[in-house]
């Protein structure tokens, strides 16, 4: 009876939880921690979305079980979003399913299509659900790089040539969490052709579709002709509309994958609370000025963070997209490792960041910084970091 449960035994340690526990303890002790660790938006949703939630919640009939795959109006709204944003036609009945956030969607699809022993290609470093969701479902993970260069394609060829059984699923996530790397449509064209040739399903996580900077809109894999033959794509309302706690997302694309996922979900849940789904319709169908406003706000935060941390002595490459920066450790402290460096920043600079090693072994040497505090707090974080780096003998540039 004391043996570890099978699936619990297969889960690797959740490294990031260690830093989260330290942050919680520090706050409980009354310390003012500037939290750049978790990608938790600090902005409110649009007022008309909140109003719609309240309006529908007043209706007596809105409190029963909802539809597991999402109410028809919300699936139509997501279909219209894809047509408007990407020029992609989707059948809301057979090619769209509503999920409780993209994280739940990925886990449900992993449960639906994975058999024990299946091999899944997943990026390293990557957001934990991209690997953990399949590990829980009984699959084996083979890592491929996150950086979309020629080595990425060579690693795919090696994986197909030397892995038994041959991989049947590949996960991609651009803009990447945690690295903020991006791809163009040519990358997806090549990936779709590769997937068809090798009979591999493609799962694309597009959670940061609207947080792009410098005028380069994020493409969807479904813009590639024939992509629906092999691909499903996940999106989320968490970052686009600042609705992270509402748990609202979508999976769209290949009918067979959507049908499998819809069936599994029908056994597991009754769908999101109907007023939340109605409010999500209001977000997708209503004024979209908040999307541009949020994008511009995160871009300004990015610029402030890069400039202020640079002056503090820590050079951070400006991310092209997402709400994260993927920051190499200051060269003088690289040997410390990302977990210890994150603990030191929390203890001595009162700044929380996420250790890169928590996203896979190839994340070692980096930390992920979330742009979820206002500009004033980001500058304060840089001042705190500057003092810490000075105490460690790292020189900053002239302030």
């Amino acid at each position: 009876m004391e043996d570890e449960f099978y699936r619990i035994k297969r889960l690797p340690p959740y490294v990031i939880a260690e830093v989260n526990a330290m942050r919680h303890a520090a706050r409980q002790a009354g310390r003012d921690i500037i939290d750049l660790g978790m990608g938790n938006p600090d902005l409110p949703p649009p007022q008309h979305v909140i109003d719609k939630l309240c309006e529908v919640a007043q209706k007596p009939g809105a409190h029963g079980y909802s539809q597991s795959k999402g109410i028809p109006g919300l699936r139509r709204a997501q279909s219209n979003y894809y047509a408007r944003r990407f020029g992609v036609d989707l059948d809301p009945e057979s090619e769209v399913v509503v999920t409780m956030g993209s994280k739940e969607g990925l886990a449900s699809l992993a449960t639906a299509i994975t058999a024990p022993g299946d091999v899944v290609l997943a990026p390293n470093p990557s957001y934990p659900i991209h690997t953990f969701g399949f590990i829980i479902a009984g699959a084996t993970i083979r890592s491929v790089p996150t950086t979309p260069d020629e080595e990425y394609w060579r690693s795919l060829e090696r994986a197909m040539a030397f892995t038994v059984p041959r991989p049947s699923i590949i996960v991609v996530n651009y803009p990447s969490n945690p690295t903020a790397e991006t791809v163009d449509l040519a990358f997806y064209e090549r990936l779709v052709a590769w997937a068809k040739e090798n009979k591999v399903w493609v799962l694309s996580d597009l959670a940061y579709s609207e947080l792009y900077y410098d005028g380069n809109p994020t493409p969807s894999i479904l813009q590639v002709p024939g992509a629906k033959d092999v691909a499903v794509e996940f999106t989320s309302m968490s970052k686009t509309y600042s609705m992270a706690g509402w748990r609202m997302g979508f999976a769209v694309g290949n009918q067979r994958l959507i049908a499998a996922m819809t069936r599994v979900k029908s056994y597991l849940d009754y769908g999101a609370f109907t007023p939340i789904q109605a409010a999500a319709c209001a977000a997708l169908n209503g004024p979209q000025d908040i999307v541009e406003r949020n994008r511009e706000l995160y871009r300004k935060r990015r610029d402030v963070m890069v400039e202020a941390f640079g002056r503090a002595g820590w050079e951070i490459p400006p991310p092209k997209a997402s709400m994260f920066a993927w920051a190499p450790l200051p060269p003088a402290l690289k040997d410390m490792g990302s977990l210890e460096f994150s603990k030191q920043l929390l203890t001595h600079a009162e700044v929380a960041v996420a250790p890169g090693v928590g996203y896979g072994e190839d994340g070692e040497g980096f930390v992920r910084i979330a742009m979820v505090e206002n500009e004033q707090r980001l500058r304060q974080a840089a001042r705190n970091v500057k003092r810490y780096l000075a105490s460690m003998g790292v020189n900053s540039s002239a302030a």
Side-chain angles (χ1 to χ4, degrees):
M1 291 294 287
E2 292 182 10
D3 285 353
E4 193 97 62
F5 294 114
Y6 168 72
R7 284 187 171 79
I8 301 302
K9 210 159 42 176
R10 297 193 79 231
L11 285 173
Y14 195 30
V15 175
I16 298 165
E18 209 173 319
V19 178
N20 290 346
M22 287 180 64
R23 180 193 64 217
H24 178 72
R27 281 187 163 162
Q28 290 293 99
R31 297 178 66 189
D32 179 22
I33 302 299
I34 301 173
D35 188 4
L36 309 179
M38 191 173 179
N40 198 9
D42 60 319
L43 309 167
Q47 187 58 47
H48 71 275
V49 174
I50 297 171
D51 292 343
K52 178 57 75 173
L53 171 72
C54 296
E55 174 197 323
V56 179
Q58 295 291 337
K59 298 179 179 179
H63 297 270
Y65 295 125
S66 191
Q67 291 189 33
S68 177
K69 69 177 183 177
I71 60 175
L74 183 53
R75 284 181 276 120
R76 282 196 300 272
Q78 176 68 352
S79 176
N80 291 338
Y81 161 74
Y82 260 79
R84 195 170 65 231
R85 171 70 166 80
F86 301 113
V88 171
D89 290 327
L90 293 169
D91 177 2
E93 195 56 41
S94 62
E95 296 178 331
V96 180
V97 62
V98 178
T99 64
M100 286 182 270
S102 57
K103 191 173 182 179
E104 178 271 327
L106 279 154
S108 289
L109 186 57
T111 302
I113 66 174
T114 307
D118 281 358
V119 177
V120 174
L121 301 177
N124 186 347
S126 74
Y127 186 55
I129 195 65
H130 297 152
T131 52
F132 290 5
F134 288 98
I135 290 170
I136 292 169
T140 299
I141 301 296
R142 174 158 178 151
S143 294
V144 295
T146 302
T147 302
D149 56 12
E150 280 306 311
E151 177 53 31
Y152 178 85
W153 300 105
R154 287 192 288 270
S155 73
L156 294 192
E157 295 307 326
R158 287 195 298 271
M160 300 314 293
F162 301 116
T163 309
V164 179
R166 278 167 63 88
S168 55
I169 299 166
I170 184 169
V171 180
V172 293
N173 169 218
Y174 299 105
S176 166
N177 178 8
T179 72
E181 289 168 296
T182 59
V183 295
D184 57 15
L185 195 57
F187 172 89
Y188 286 134
E189 288 168 349
R190 189 171 174 182
L191 183 63
V192 168
W194 175 88
K196 288 186 174 186
E197 181 186 339
N198 289 282
K199 297 181 173 55
V200 173
W201 294 115
V202 181
L203 277 49
S204 168
D205 184 355
L206 195 62
Y208 299 92
S209 58
E210 300 306 330
L211 292 184
Y212 57 84
Y213 312 118
D214 308 325
N216 294 313
T218 306
S220 159
I221 192 172
L222 298 182
Q223 289 174 262
V224 178
K228 281 194 219 171
D229 295 341
V230 292
V232 154
E233 190 156 71
F234 294 88
T235 55
S236 166
M237 304 192 73
S238 297
K239 313 308 190 293
T240 306
Y241 298 98
S242 299
M243 294 167 64
W246 298 48
R247 307 314 303 134
M248 186 54 52
F250 304 90
V252 304
N254 180 269
Q255 290 189 8
R256 188 174 165 208
L257 293 180
I258 294 296
M261 183 177 164
T262 301
R263 186 164 183 205
V264 163
K265 277 178 61 62
S266 72
Y267 287 92
L268 298 177
D269 67 68
Y270 286 108
F273 185 39
T274 300
I276 289 179
Q277 295 194 56
C281 288
L284 286 167
N285 293 335
Q288 297 300 300
D289 52 326
I290 185 170
V291 179
E292 178 60 40
R293 209 160 58 236
N294 281 357
R295 186 185 302 129
E296 181 61 14
L297 182 140
Y298 282 116
R299 186 194 63 76
K300 286 181 178 175
R301 288 182 179 182
R302 175 198 69 169
D303 294 346
V304 165
M305 178 191 64
V306 169
E307 182 265 337
F309 277 61
R311 283 169 43 170
W314 188 5
E315 295 297 328
I316 297 174
K320 293 179 182 177
S322 86
M323 64 196 305
F324 305 113
W326 187 238
L329 271 56
L333 303 179
K334 193 169 184 182
D335 289 346
M336 187 182 287
S338 65
L339 179 58
E340 182 58 30
F341 178 72
S342 300
K343 291 178 178 179
Q344 293 270 329
L345 272 191
L346 187 61
T347 303
H348 301 294
E350 298 189 319
V351 174
V353 296
V357 73
Y359 300 94
E361 61 194 44
D362 291 348
E364 185 53 273
F366 293 82
V367 294
R368 193 194 73 174
I369 303 174
M371 301 180 285
V372 291
E373 296 265 16
N374 63 39
E375 293 175 28
Q376 182 182 342
R377 295 278 282 174
L378 288 170
R379 292 188 191 280
Q380 180 62 54
R383 288 193 289 272
N384 293 4
V385 167
K386 181 178 179 177
R387 282 197 299 272
Y388 165 67
L389 294 178
S391 75
M392 299 296 288
V394 179
N395 294 323
S396 63
S397 58

